[in-house]
Amino acid sequence: MLKTKLKEYRAKHNMNQQTLAKLVGVRRETIGHLERGTYSPSLKLAWDIAKVFKLPIEEIFEYEEE
């Protein structure tokens, strides 16, 4: 199971879903799905999101075995 701190980091940067989506080249709905855990990002998308926040990928996304 993939856990994410995406919503937390987005809030810390006063960024809405639409702004983040535009920065990484996806639709706003994709960011919402990521935050709810109903969608797993590609490696490129995870990398692009991490670059926006200047963090390593594993700081935002964490995989936990069920």
Side-chain angles (χ1 to χ4, degrees):
M1 177 174 199
L2 188 69
K3 294 180 76 175
T4 180
K5 295 180 184 174
L6 182 55
K7 188 173 184 176
E8 176 185 327
Y9 283 111
R10 194 173 50 74
K12 283 182 182 179
H13 287 83
N14 295 316
M15 186 181 298
N16 62 30
Q17 289 180 343
Q18 184 65 40
T19 301
L20 178 57
K22 189 172 185 177
L23 288 171
V24 298
V26 297
R27 296 180 15 209
R28 183 203 55 78
E29 292 83 1
T30 302
I31 301 301
H33 289 296
L34 286 168
E35 291 181 354
R36 288 189 300 279
T38 58
Y39 177 76
S40 293
S42 66
L43 182 56
K44 179 172 180 349
L45 179 55
W47 178 262
D48 289 345
I49 290 170
K51 284 186 356 185
V52 167
F53 297 114
K54 297 180 173 85
L55 294 168
I57 292 172
E58 59 272 11
E59 187 72 28
I60 301 170
F61 299 100
E62 181 181 331
Y63 180 77
E64 286 187 355
E65 291 192 38
E66 294 181 49

